[in-house]
Amino acid sequence: MIKKARNIILNVDQQQSFTRLSGMLLPFRCLKTLLFLIFITNLSHAQLSPGKLTQSHSKLEGLSNCTQCHSIGDKISNQKCLACHKDLNVRISSRKGFHASSEVRGKDCITCHSDHHGVNFKMVRVDKKTFNHSLTGYELKDGHKTKPKDCNECHKPQNIASATIRARKNTFQGLSTACATCHDDVHQGTLSKDCATCHDFKDFKKPDNFNHNKTDFALRGAHQKVQCNDCHKQEVRNGKKFVKYSGVASNSCTSCHKDEHNGHYGNHCQSCHNDESFARINNNPTFNHKLTGFALEGKHGSVSCKKCHDKTFAGRGKFREFFGKKPLDCKLCHEDIHEGKFGDDCKKCHNQNSFKLKNTKTLSDFDHDNTGFVLKGKHENTDCKSCHKKALTDPVPHKQCLDCHTDKHNGDFAAKKAKYPDCASCHVEDDFMPATFTIEKHNQSDFKLQGSHVATPCISCHKTGKDWKFKIPEQKCNNCHQDIHENAIDKKYYPEKNCETCHTSGSWASISFDHNQTDYPLEGGHQAVNCGNCHFDRSKGLVVQKIKGLDRACNNCHKDVHGGQFAKNGLTDCASCHTFRAWDSIGFDHDKTRFKLDGEHKNVDCYQCHKDFIRGTENVRSFKLGKFKCVDCHL
C-alpha cells in the first residue's frame, strides 16, 4: 500500500477533483480515509507527495503542513498563497503591478507557480527578453529601455526600500518608480523629487522638460540666450559636485550684473534698461531727467540716451558726461550750421519739437525783409528748408519764381518772354489761383477775346485734357468747336472751314451768309426766315441738315392749305397766285379764270363765294367751284 501511495502522481497544475489510485477512480475526499489507515499502521515518516518542495517552500515539507497550501477535497487555494505573500496581496488588491494586469488578473496562482518539482525547481520563470514591462504599470522608455543590459541592473537589493523584500533572493518586487530609487539626487534635496518635471528618459543631463518661465524668474530678451551655468554656478557640496538651481537671488539686476553707475541711479535698472540688451535704452525711460537740471522736451524725449551720453566730455562716461557743464546750450551736442552768423541762441528760431520748424513766437524776431526777399502770402508760412536746402545762410537765387518753382506751363510762354517775363505776370504770392491775367492782357496776345469768348472760362479752351495748354498754334474755330456742317455745305461757301464766313463770335445764331451766292436768291419774306427753318429737319426728334440739293418747290417747306386743288402732277405752283413779299393773293388775276368778275362781282368778298368744306379731318376752302350760273349763288 505504501509503495502504491508513493507512486501516486498528483497533477497539481490541473487540480482535478479525482485521483487515480490502484487503477480505480476514487473521489478526492476518500484521501482522508487513506491517510487515516496509514497513520494507524504506524508508518512513520511516510508521505503522500508528488515530489520535493522547492527550496523557498522547503520549510513546509511534511504531511502535517499540506493544509498550509492545500484545502482537503478542493484545489489549491489562491487565498492560502496570498495569505503568505501578504505584500503581493496588497498590490493586487490595490490593482498595482504585474499580478494586477490584464495578463494575470483572474488566473490561479498555480497556473504559473507550481511546486513539488524538486528542491532546485524555479517557481518563478520569466523570459527577460520578451517580457512586457508595461504590464507592471511602469513602461520602459528611451534610456530605460536601451541602456540596462540586464534586469538586475535595476532590480537589485540596494534599490529595495523594504528590508523584508530585500532579504529575498532574485525578487522583482519592492522597487519604487521614484527616480531616486535608482539614481543619485544630484540636487541634494534642493529641488522637487519629481525628476520628470525637468528631465525625460532620453538624456538626464539635458532638462528638456524644464520651463524656466514657470519659475519666479521668467527668461526674457537676452536672458533667453544665456547658458545655464552662467547664472547657476557649479560648486562642491557634501563632497560632491553641485549646481545651485534653487535659492538664486534674482530680486535685483545687481544680483548678477555689476552696477556700472556705482549706485548713482539707484537699483531700479528697469527704469532705463530692458531685457533685450543692456546697451539698448528704453525709448521712454521712467528715469526723471529733470533731476539732472535738463528737462527732456520735444524730440529730446524720444532720442536714444546713447545719442547724448557717449563719453563726449573728458571720457567720464556712465551717463554723467554733462556733470558740472553749464550752461547746457545746444552747441554742446549740435553743430552750428550757421557758423555763428545768427548768434548762440538757437531758440530764437528753433524749438525742440523739430529743428525744421520755427518757433511761432519768433516769426517777428527774424526780419526776412533784410535778406532782400520780402515774404508775402504763402511764402510767410513756408518751411525755411523748402527754399534753404543747405545752410540757411547760403545764398538762394530768388529773382524769378522759376528759381524755386517748377514751370507748370511747360515752356508755353518761353517764346513770349518779352510780354510774360515771369510767373508774376499772371500770379501772386497769396495763391497760384486765380490768375491775374486780364482780358486786356489776353487782347495783347495773338487771339483777341470778342463776343461770347469774353465770357468763356479759361479752362474751356486751355485745359481740354489733364494739363493746361496755353500755346495754341492754330486759332481756328474748329480747334475748339465742332464743325456741324462737315460734308453738308459745299466748301466754296466756307473755304478752309472758316466759320467766320457765316458766323460771328458775338452769337453763333447770328448768320451773315449771302444767299445770293446760290442759285436760289432769297426774296420777300424768305429774307427774314431763320436758316434752320428750311435747312434743319426736326420732325423726327433729330436735327438733320438739308443744305445740298434742297428742292425749291414751295410745298417742300409750306403746307398746301388748298388741299391740292391747284396741284398739277402732284405739285402746286404757289407763285401763280402768291409772291414772296406776302402770302396774300395780290398776284392773282380772277379774269384769267373761267369766271370773269364784272360789275358788282368785283366788290364781293372772295369768301362769300368760296365757302369752306371738310376734307378728311381738315377745313379746306373751295376755290374750284365748277358752277357759274346765277341761280347757283342767287335765289
Side-chain angles (χ1 to χ4, degrees), residues 409 412-413 437 442 445 447 449 456-472 475 480:
H409 306 310
D412 282 355
F413 295 100
F437 193 72
H442 203 292
S445 69
F447 187 82
L449 298 180
T456 303
C458 307
I459 194 172
S460 299
C461 298
H462 295 290
K463 194 178 182 184
T464 55
K466 292 183 178 180
D467 301 322
W468 288 87
K469 292 183 179 180
F470 292 93
K471 189 177 181 180
I472 302 176
Q475 298 170 358
C480 295

mmCIF file of all heavy atoms in Angstrom, residues 409 412-413 437 442 445 447 449 456-472 475 480:
data_model
loop_
_atom_site.group_PDB
_atom_site.id
_atom_site.type_symbol
_atom_site.label_atom_id
_atom_site.label_comp_id
_atom_site.label_asym_id
_atom_site.label_seq_id
_atom_site.Cartn_x
_atom_site.Cartn_y
_atom_site.Cartn_z
ATOM 1 N N HIS A 409 3.570 125.433 -66.811
ATOM 2 C CA HIS A 409 3.085 125.587 -68.188
ATOM 3 C C HIS A 409 4.029 124.980 -69.219
ATOM 4 O O HIS A 409 3.805 125.121 -70.424
ATOM 5 C CB HIS A 409 2.862 127.073 -68.504
ATOM 6 C CG HIS A 409 1.963 127.746 -67.518
ATOM 7 N ND1 HIS A 409 0.752 127.237 -67.154
ATOM 8 C CD2 HIS A 409 2.113 128.905 -66.802
ATOM 9 C CE1 HIS A 409 0.175 128.031 -66.275
ATOM 10 N NE2 HIS A 409 0.975 129.052 -66.037
ATOM 11 N N ASP A 412 5.279 127.068 -72.272
ATOM 12 C CA ASP A 412 4.344 127.652 -73.241
ATOM 13 C C ASP A 412 4.594 129.151 -73.455
ATOM 14 O O ASP A 412 4.300 129.692 -74.532
ATOM 15 C CB ASP A 412 2.900 127.439 -72.767
ATOM 16 C CG ASP A 412 2.439 126.008 -73.030
ATOM 17 O OD1 ASP A 412 3.208 125.252 -73.655
ATOM 18 O OD2 ASP A 412 1.322 125.655 -72.618
ATOM 19 N N PHE A 413 5.116 129.829 -72.416
ATOM 20 C CA PHE A 413 5.323 131.281 -72.529
ATOM 21 C C PHE A 413 6.789 131.639 -72.785
ATOM 22 O O PHE A 413 7.149 132.815 -72.742
ATOM 23 C CB PHE A 413 4.854 131.972 -71.246
ATOM 24 C CG PHE A 413 3.377 131.835 -71.012
ATOM 25 C CD1 PHE A 413 2.880 130.892 -70.128
ATOM 26 C CD2 PHE A 413 2.485 132.637 -71.696
ATOM 27 C CE1 PHE A 413 1.525 130.766 -69.918
ATOM 28 C CE2 PHE A 413 1.121 132.522 -71.486
ATOM 29 C CZ PHE A 413 0.632 131.578 -70.589
ATOM 30 N N PHE A 437 -4.424 137.267 -65.002
ATOM 31 C CA PHE A 437 -4.347 137.532 -66.441
ATOM 32 C C PHE A 437 -5.698 138.072 -66.903
ATOM 33 O O PHE A 437 -6.706 137.366 -66.913
ATOM 34 C CB PHE A 437 -3.998 136.238 -67.185
ATOM 35 C CG PHE A 437 -3.591 136.454 -68.612
ATOM 36 C CD1 PHE A 437 -2.370 137.018 -68.923
ATOM 37 C CD2 PHE A 437 -4.449 136.105 -69.651
ATOM 38 C CE1 PHE A 437 -1.994 137.215 -70.244
ATOM 39 C CE2 PHE A 437 -4.084 136.291 -70.972
ATOM 40 C CZ PHE A 437 -2.846 136.856 -71.264
ATOM 41 N N HIS A 442 -5.110 139.524 -72.459
ATOM 42 C CA HIS A 442 -5.383 138.492 -73.463
ATOM 43 C C HIS A 442 -5.497 139.135 -74.852
ATOM 44 O O HIS A 442 -5.100 138.539 -75.867
ATOM 45 C CB HIS A 442 -6.668 137.740 -73.123
ATOM 46 C CG HIS A 442 -6.742 136.377 -73.720
ATOM 47 N ND1 HIS A 442 -6.870 136.159 -75.075
ATOM 48 C CD2 HIS A 442 -6.669 135.134 -73.149
ATOM 49 C CE1 HIS A 442 -6.890 134.865 -75.315
ATOM 50 N NE2 HIS A 442 -6.778 134.196 -74.152
ATOM 51 N N SER A 445 -2.482 139.458 -76.870
ATOM 52 C CA SER A 445 -1.944 138.231 -77.466
ATOM 53 C C SER A 445 -2.377 138.129 -78.920
ATOM 54 O O SER A 445 -2.980 139.055 -79.477
ATOM 55 C CB SER A 445 -2.433 137.017 -76.671
ATOM 56 O OG SER A 445 -3.825 136.859 -76.863
ATOM 57 N N PHE A 447 -4.684 136.323 -80.027
ATOM 58 C CA PHE A 447 -6.095 135.971 -80.128
ATOM 59 C C PHE A 447 -6.882 136.889 -79.212
ATOM 60 O O PHE A 447 -6.850 136.754 -77.979
ATOM 61 C CB PHE A 447 -6.328 134.499 -79.726
ATOM 62 C CG PHE A 447 -7.732 134.030 -79.967
ATOM 63 C CD1 PHE A 447 -8.128 133.620 -81.230
ATOM 64 C CD2 PHE A 447 -8.660 134.006 -78.936
ATOM 65 C CE1 PHE A 447 -9.432 133.183 -81.450
ATOM 66 C CE2 PHE A 447 -9.960 133.568 -79.156
ATOM 67 C CZ PHE A 447 -10.339 133.161 -80.421
ATOM 68 N N LEU A 449 -10.129 138.406 -77.440
ATOM 69 C CA LEU A 449 -11.404 137.884 -76.970
ATOM 70 C C LEU A 449 -12.516 138.839 -77.383
ATOM 71 O O LEU A 449 -12.510 140.018 -77.015
ATOM 72 C CB LEU A 449 -11.391 137.730 -75.439
ATOM 73 C CG LEU A 449 -10.355 136.756 -74.878
ATOM 74 C CD1 LEU A 449 -10.445 136.703 -73.363
ATOM 75 C CD2 LEU A 449 -10.562 135.359 -75.460
ATOM 76 N N THR A 456 -16.299 133.295 -71.785
ATOM 77 C CA THR A 456 -15.939 131.871 -71.730
ATOM 78 C C THR A 456 -14.822 131.638 -70.699
ATOM 79 O O THR A 456 -13.810 132.341 -70.721
ATOM 80 C CB THR A 456 -15.453 131.387 -73.110
ATOM 81 O OG1 THR A 456 -16.484 131.631 -74.071
ATOM 82 C CG2 THR A 456 -15.122 129.902 -73.080
ATOM 83 N N PRO A 457 -14.985 130.668 -69.771
ATOM 84 C CA PRO A 457 -13.919 130.376 -68.792
ATOM 85 C C PRO A 457 -12.649 129.901 -69.493
ATOM 86 O O PRO A 457 -12.703 129.218 -70.519
ATOM 87 C CB PRO A 457 -14.520 129.252 -67.937
ATOM 88 C CG PRO A 457 -15.984 129.304 -68.176
ATOM 89 C CD PRO A 457 -16.163 129.810 -69.567
ATOM 90 N N CYS A 458 -11.510 130.264 -68.892
ATOM 91 C CA CYS A 458 -10.211 129.879 -69.470
ATOM 92 C C CYS A 458 -10.097 128.372 -69.673
ATOM 93 O O CYS A 458 -9.528 127.901 -70.662
ATOM 94 C CB CYS A 458 -9.071 130.356 -68.580
ATOM 95 S SG CYS A 458 -9.139 132.112 -68.170
ATOM 96 N N ILE A 459 -10.640 127.622 -68.706
ATOM 97 C CA ILE A 459 -10.481 126.161 -68.728
ATOM 98 C C ILE A 459 -11.124 125.533 -69.952
ATOM 99 O O ILE A 459 -10.712 124.463 -70.405
ATOM 100 C CB ILE A 459 -11.072 125.555 -67.430
ATOM 101 C CG1 ILE A 459 -10.631 124.110 -67.265
ATOM 102 C CG2 ILE A 459 -12.596 125.677 -67.417
ATOM 103 C CD1 ILE A 459 -11.010 123.523 -65.923
ATOM 104 N N SER A 460 -12.128 126.217 -70.523
ATOM 105 C CA SER A 460 -12.820 125.657 -71.686
ATOM 106 C C SER A 460 -11.894 125.512 -72.884
ATOM 107 O O SER A 460 -12.043 124.600 -73.695
ATOM 108 C CB SER A 460 -14.017 126.533 -72.053
ATOM 109 O OG SER A 460 -14.947 126.591 -70.993
ATOM 110 N N CYS A 461 -10.938 126.424 -73.008
ATOM 111 C CA CYS A 461 -10.021 126.380 -74.159
ATOM 112 C C CYS A 461 -8.640 125.847 -73.797
ATOM 113 O O CYS A 461 -8.007 125.165 -74.605
ATOM 114 C CB CYS A 461 -9.870 127.781 -74.754
ATOM 115 S SG CYS A 461 -11.412 128.484 -75.380
ATOM 116 N N HIS A 462 -8.183 126.155 -72.565
ATOM 117 C CA HIS A 462 -6.785 125.884 -72.216
ATOM 118 C C HIS A 462 -6.577 124.607 -71.390
ATOM 119 O O HIS A 462 -5.445 124.296 -71.046
ATOM 120 C CB HIS A 462 -6.203 127.078 -71.457
ATOM 121 C CG HIS A 462 -6.123 128.323 -72.296
ATOM 122 N ND1 HIS A 462 -5.233 128.455 -73.336
ATOM 123 C CD2 HIS A 462 -6.835 129.482 -72.265
ATOM 124 C CE1 HIS A 462 -5.378 129.648 -73.907
ATOM 125 N NE2 HIS A 462 -6.355 130.293 -73.277
ATOM 126 N N LYS A 463 -7.659 123.904 -71.049
ATOM 127 C CA LYS A 463 -7.483 122.638 -70.335
ATOM 128 C C LYS A 463 -8.494 121.628 -70.868
ATOM 129 O O LYS A 463 -9.488 121.304 -70.228
ATOM 130 C CB LYS A 463 -7.652 122.806 -68.821
ATOM 131 C CG LYS A 463 -7.146 121.587 -68.033
ATOM 132 C CD LYS A 463 -7.272 121.777 -66.538
ATOM 133 C CE LYS A 463 -6.717 120.559 -65.808
ATOM 134 N NZ LYS A 463 -6.902 120.651 -64.349
ATOM 135 N N THR A 464 -8.200 121.138 -72.025
ATOM 136 C CA THR A 464 -9.091 120.150 -72.640
ATOM 137 C C THR A 464 -8.769 118.735 -72.180
ATOM 138 O O THR A 464 -9.576 117.831 -72.343
ATOM 139 C CB THR A 464 -8.969 120.226 -74.170
ATOM 140 O OG1 THR A 464 -7.597 120.062 -74.540
ATOM 141 C CG2 THR A 464 -9.456 121.577 -74.673
ATOM 142 N N GLY A 465 -7.592 118.534 -71.604
ATOM 143 C CA GLY A 465 -7.190 117.224 -71.073
ATOM 144 C C GLY A 465 -6.786 117.359 -69.615
ATOM 145 O O GLY A 465 -7.379 118.111 -68.837
ATOM 146 N N LYS A 466 -5.721 116.655 -69.206
ATOM 147 C CA LYS A 466 -5.239 116.728 -67.829
ATOM 148 C C LYS A 466 -4.418 117.994 -67.586
ATOM 149 O O LYS A 466 -4.403 118.520 -66.478
ATOM 150 C CB LYS A 466 -4.383 115.492 -67.504
ATOM 151 C CG LYS A 466 -5.167 114.184 -67.462
ATOM 152 C CD LYS A 466 -4.262 113.029 -67.073
ATOM 153 C CE LYS A 466 -5.048 111.729 -66.989
ATOM 154 N NZ LYS A 466 -4.165 110.585 -66.618
ATOM 155 N N ASP A 467 -3.708 118.454 -68.606
ATOM 156 C CA ASP A 467 -2.769 119.564 -68.434
ATOM 157 C C ASP A 467 -3.297 120.834 -69.095
ATOM 158 O O ASP A 467 -4.062 120.799 -70.067
ATOM 159 C CB ASP A 467 -1.404 119.199 -69.039
ATOM 160 C CG ASP A 467 -0.819 117.955 -68.406
ATOM 161 O OD1 ASP A 467 -0.974 117.798 -67.179
ATOM 162 O OD2 ASP A 467 -0.222 117.142 -69.148
ATOM 163 N N TRP A 468 -2.839 121.953 -68.534
ATOM 164 C CA TRP A 468 -3.140 123.249 -69.142
ATOM 165 C C TRP A 468 -2.258 123.442 -70.386
ATOM 166 O O TRP A 468 -1.075 123.087 -70.374
ATOM 167 C CB TRP A 468 -2.848 124.370 -68.151
ATOM 168 C CG TRP A 468 -3.838 124.447 -67.022
ATOM 169 C CD1 TRP A 468 -3.794 123.781 -65.845
ATOM 170 C CD2 TRP A 468 -5.010 125.267 -66.978
ATOM 171 N NE1 TRP A 468 -4.870 124.101 -65.066
ATOM 172 C CE2 TRP A 468 -5.640 125.029 -65.735
ATOM 173 C CE3 TRP A 468 -5.600 126.166 -67.869
ATOM 174 C CZ2 TRP A 468 -6.814 125.665 -65.356
ATOM 175 C CZ3 TRP A 468 -6.773 126.801 -67.486
ATOM 176 C CH2 TRP A 468 -7.378 126.550 -66.251
ATOM 177 N N LYS A 469 -2.834 124.019 -71.421
ATOM 178 C CA LYS A 469 -2.081 124.330 -72.640
ATOM 179 C C LYS A 469 -2.415 125.754 -73.069
ATOM 180 O O LYS A 469 -3.576 126.066 -73.360
ATOM 181 C CB LYS A 469 -2.426 123.343 -73.758
ATOM 182 C CG LYS A 469 -1.937 121.930 -73.505
ATOM 183 C CD LYS A 469 -2.235 121.023 -74.685
ATOM 184 C CE LYS A 469 -1.717 119.616 -74.443
ATOM 185 N NZ LYS A 469 -1.997 118.711 -75.584
ATOM 186 N N PHE A 470 -1.377 126.583 -73.072
ATOM 187 C CA PHE A 470 -1.588 127.981 -73.439
ATOM 188 C C PHE A 470 -1.005 128.307 -74.821
ATOM 189 O O PHE A 470 -1.304 129.344 -75.388
ATOM 190 C CB PHE A 470 -0.966 128.903 -72.381
ATOM 191 C CG PHE A 470 -1.696 128.822 -71.067
ATOM 192 C CD1 PHE A 470 -1.288 127.951 -70.080
ATOM 193 C CD2 PHE A 470 -2.803 129.615 -70.834
ATOM 194 C CE1 PHE A 470 -1.961 127.872 -68.880
ATOM 195 C CE2 PHE A 470 -3.483 129.548 -69.635
ATOM 196 C CZ PHE A 470 -3.063 128.672 -68.650
ATOM 197 N N LYS A 471 -0.188 127.417 -75.314
ATOM 198 C CA LYS A 471 0.389 127.621 -76.633
ATOM 199 C C LYS A 471 -0.462 126.877 -77.648
ATOM 200 O O LYS A 471 -0.348 125.665 -77.825
ATOM 201 C CB LYS A 471 1.833 127.108 -76.659
ATOM 202 C CG LYS A 471 2.578 127.477 -77.923
ATOM 203 C CD LYS A 471 4.029 127.001 -77.824
ATOM 204 C CE LYS A 471 4.805 127.375 -79.075
ATOM 205 N NZ LYS A 471 6.210 126.921 -78.992
ATOM 206 N N ILE A 472 -1.374 127.636 -78.313
ATOM 207 C CA ILE A 472 -2.281 127.043 -79.301
ATOM 208 C C ILE A 472 -1.834 127.516 -80.688
ATOM 209 O O ILE A 472 -2.025 128.682 -81.041
ATOM 210 C CB ILE A 472 -3.732 127.458 -79.030
ATOM 211 C CG1 ILE A 472 -4.133 127.035 -77.597
ATOM 212 C CG2 ILE A 472 -4.675 126.845 -80.062
ATOM 213 C CD1 ILE A 472 -5.504 127.483 -77.194
ATOM 214 N N GLN A 475 -5.384 129.071 -84.432
ATOM 215 C CA GLN A 475 -6.503 129.660 -83.699
ATOM 216 C C GLN A 475 -7.743 129.677 -84.579
ATOM 217 O O GLN A 475 -8.323 130.716 -84.890
ATOM 218 C CB GLN A 475 -6.123 131.069 -83.233
ATOM 219 C CG GLN A 475 -4.945 131.062 -82.267
ATOM 220 C CD GLN A 475 -4.392 132.429 -81.980
ATOM 221 O OE1 GLN A 475 -4.869 133.414 -82.532
ATOM 222 N NE2 GLN A 475 -3.376 132.485 -81.156
ATOM 223 N N CYS A 480 -11.656 124.382 -81.291
ATOM 224 C CA CYS A 480 -12.438 124.265 -80.060
ATOM 225 C C CYS A 480 -13.864 123.795 -80.334
ATOM 226 O O CYS A 480 -14.456 123.093 -79.527
ATOM 227 C CB CYS A 480 -12.489 125.595 -79.321
ATOM 228 S SG CYS A 480 -10.884 126.183 -78.712
#
